[in-house]
Amino acid sequence: EMFGQVILFCHVMACVWYAIGINSQNGWVTETLVQESTSLRKYTSSFHWSMAVMSGETLRDPFNDSERVFICCMLPLCFLLSAYFVSRITTSMTRLAVISSEHSGRFAVLRRFLDDHLIAPSLAAKVMRNAQHSFLESKRYDPEASVELLRFVSDSLIGDMHFDMYMHILDRCDLFTNYVKLNQPGMRKVCHTAVTVSQFSQGDIIFAKFDVPSLPKMMFCQHGHLSYALEDDAMIGVDDEVIMDDTSRKWACEAVLWTSWVHCGSMRALSNASVVLLDAIQFRRAIHAYPQEHLRVYGKLFVQDLNSA
């Protein structure tokens, strides 16, 4: 970006320098016979001069007062711009070196911790891979907690922001597609208080068969690919595996919103993935304040269908 800005400035300066030379009496274009040359020669001569001025050289003396005034204006301006660009490059390289040092230091501490506690190499590799993915994601998408100015934004606006961030993902579930039409303030509160995002790296087990979630959460795939399977070779085949990604209208663990639940299968990440989690406890608290009976009726019928299945 900075290189492009320098080239653009030199191009503009070269065009102005040529215009002064060809339009003024006894200008450099006439005196150096550049006017009789090809268009490429004219442009490269002007651009060469502008690049030299950026470094503090003039290449040729001015032939008239107009050229002298222009050079006197450009030299200090180019000096300031050169200092600005150099300082920006230095600052960027210093920041990159600091970030790289912090990154290496954090992962060295993690590796030492895993070695000190005799963690199996295969498990240690998974831990390192997950930490690497989560760290890179935090750099690519700034976590909300790291954006300091959001602390000064009103809670109402933060709620609106969360609604825009998460509602289009919850909308994959037909329940929320219809309920938001009946109770948008309620879904806004759900998005504001009950939704979080977690990062998983390829191969991570998100939950396993017969797990009882201590913090029950409904799940949506925001980025990446997830696989859910019952893992009972005597009863099912490979065709029973369900793939979730960021384009499918699929979700997992809706039952935790309505009843106590034991996972009937396992879910793992087929690739690095971001998963939107809807906390069941916070969901109930957010919805409890609203008088509509639609969710109570839906939850009751949902549990009845589960019991009869």
Side-chain angles (χ1 to χ4, degrees), residues 83-121:
Y84 169 73
F85 285 123
V86 169
S87 65
R88 280 191 62 184
I89 293 173
T90 303
T91 301
S92 298
M93 293 183 67
T94 302
R95 185 183 297 114
L96 182 62
V98 171
I99 292 175
S100 178
S101 177
E102 291 179 352
H103 177 272
S104 300
R106 290 173 180 174
F107 279 88
V109 171
L110 178 57
R111 276 192 294 268
R112 187 164 59 250
F113 174 84
L114 297 173
D115 291 340
D116 291 345
H117 291 79
L118 304 178
I119 304 300

Side-chain angles (χ1 to χ4, degrees), residues 81-250:
L81 288 176
S82 298
Y84 169 73
F85 285 123
V86 169
S87 65
R88 280 191 62 184
I89 293 173
T90 303
T91 301
S92 298
M93 293 183 67
T94 302
R95 185 183 297 114
L96 182 62
V98 171
I99 292 175
S100 178
S101 177
E102 291 179 352
H103 177 272
S104 300
R106 290 173 180 174
F107 279 88
V109 171
L110 178 57
R111 276 192 294 268
R112 187 164 59 250
F113 174 84
L114 297 173
D115 291 340
D116 291 345
H117 291 79
L118 304 178
I119 304 300
S122 59
L123 178 57
K126 290 182 180 180
V127 172
M128 293 294 295
R129 187 167 60 244
N130 184 272
Q132 178 79 13
H133 169 64
S134 299
F135 182 81
L136 292 177
E137 285 295 304
S138 69
K139 294 300 179 183
R140 190 159 62 115
Y141 302 106
D142 291 329
E144 184 177 325
S146 69
V147 184
E148 295 184 5
L149 288 180
L150 286 179
R151 293 182 300 169
F152 304 100
V153 178
S154 67
D155 189 67
S156 176
L157 287 177
I158 295 293
D160 292 338
M161 183 183 72
H162 288 158
F163 183 76
D164 277 353
M165 288 170 60
Y166 302 126
M167 188 60 221
H168 70 279
I169 297 175
L170 301 186
D171 190 60
R172 297 175 191 171
C173 177
D174 294 336
L175 166 65
F176 300 127
T177 301
N178 293 299
Y179 186 68
V180 72
K181 300 174 184 177
L182 300 171
N183 186 10
Q184 182 171 326
M187 284 307 302
R188 177 185 173 280
K189 188 173 182 180
V190 167
C191 293
H192 184 40
T193 62
V195 178
T196 56
V197 179
S198 287
Q199 306 295 332
F200 298 93
S201 58
Q202 183 177 4
D204 284 354
I205 302 298
I206 299 173
F207 59 78
K209 189 174 183 178
F210 301 129
D211 279 352
V212 178
S214 56
L215 297 173
K217 297 177 180 180
M218 186 178 178
M219 302 181 183
F220 300 82
C221 183
Q222 185 179 31
H223 299 296
H225 295 79
L226 308 176
S227 168
Y228 176 83
L230 295 178
E231 294 186 338
D232 189 343
D233 296 335
M235 297 176 58
I236 67 167
V238 177
D239 292 340
D240 291 281
E241 183 180 37
V242 178
I243 305 298
M244 292 173 52
D245 58 30
D246 52 358
T247 61
S248 61
R249 290 184 62 87
K250 297 177 182 177

